[in-house]
């Protein structure tokens, strides 16, 4: 996969297809196109140990999402509710849209 090439967008529903969270479904929070990574809600949680910033504050352990490589997630089609590959199609008015390769439905990001 070329750097920066990504068919996934924020708020898309994806399923993890490889790794420790395989089979789990979540919503994309952030996409880092330069690193080919996505951050999915409540998936690939890591613990970050944070030092206190001053004497009155105590240290803490923060849980947050870590990135997952694009090749390890697959889009869940909102129409057929299956993991699908994404195609692109140009409509009659000239706009380019993403389509589901299984059911041929257009995919809009849930806002």
């Amino acid at each position: 996969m070329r750097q920066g090439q990504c068919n996934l967008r924020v708020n898309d529903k994806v399923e993890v297809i490889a790794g420790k969270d395989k089979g789990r479904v979540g919503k994309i929070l952030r996409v880092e196109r330069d690193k080919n990574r996505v951050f999915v809600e409540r998936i690939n949680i890591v613990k970050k140990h944070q030092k206190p910033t001053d004497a009155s504050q105590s240290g803490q352990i923060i849980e947050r999402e870590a990135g997952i490589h694009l090749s390890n997630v697959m889009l869940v089609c909102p129409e057929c509710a299956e993991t699908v590959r994404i195609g692109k199609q140009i409509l009659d008015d000239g706009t380019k849209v993403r389509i589901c390769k299984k059911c041929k439905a257009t995919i809009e990001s849930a806002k």
Side-chain angles (χ1 to χ4, degrees):
M1 185 176 302
R2 288 189 325 241
Q3 182 179 357
Q5 179 187 18
C6 178
N7 294 321
L8 300 174
R9 297 182 187 156
V10 174
N11 291 327
D12 280 348
K13 191 175 177 185
V14 293
E15 181 177 336
V16 180
I17 59 172
K20 67 178 183 180
D21 292 316
K22 182 178 179 178
R24 294 186 58 197
V25 177
K27 187 175 75 169
I28 294 180
L29 300 173
R30 192 169 85 219
V31 179
E32 287 187 359
R33 295 188 199 291
D34 57 331
K35 296 181 182 173
N36 289 330
R37 291 186 140 343
V38 291
F39 292 79
V40 185
E41 188 175 47
R42 301 299 306 156
I43 292 180
N44 199 19
I45 299 292
V46 294
K47 292 186 177 186
K48 180 179 189 289
H49 296 258
Q50 187 172 18
K51 281 186 171 182
T53 55
D54 56 31
S56 63
Q57 192 180 36
S58 62
Q60 54 188 341
I61 300 173
I62 300 171
E63 288 189 347
R64 61 184 202 129
E65 292 90 1
I68 304 172
H69 197 268
L70 287 175
S71 63
N72 294 333
V73 295
M74 233 176 147
L75 183 76
V76 175
C77 176
E79 295 293 320
C80 57
E82 294 182 39
T83 56
V84 293
R85 290 185 177 185
I86 303 167
K88 298 215 174 154
Q89 185 177 32
I90 298 174
L91 300 178
D92 296 332
D93 60 351
T95 58
K96 189 188 283 190
V97 293
R98 300 179 299 161
I99 61 165
C100 168
K101 290 265 190 161
K102 286 187 182 176
C103 67
K104 306 295 185 215
T106 61
I107 300 168
E108 291 95 22
S109 294
K111 300 270 173 160

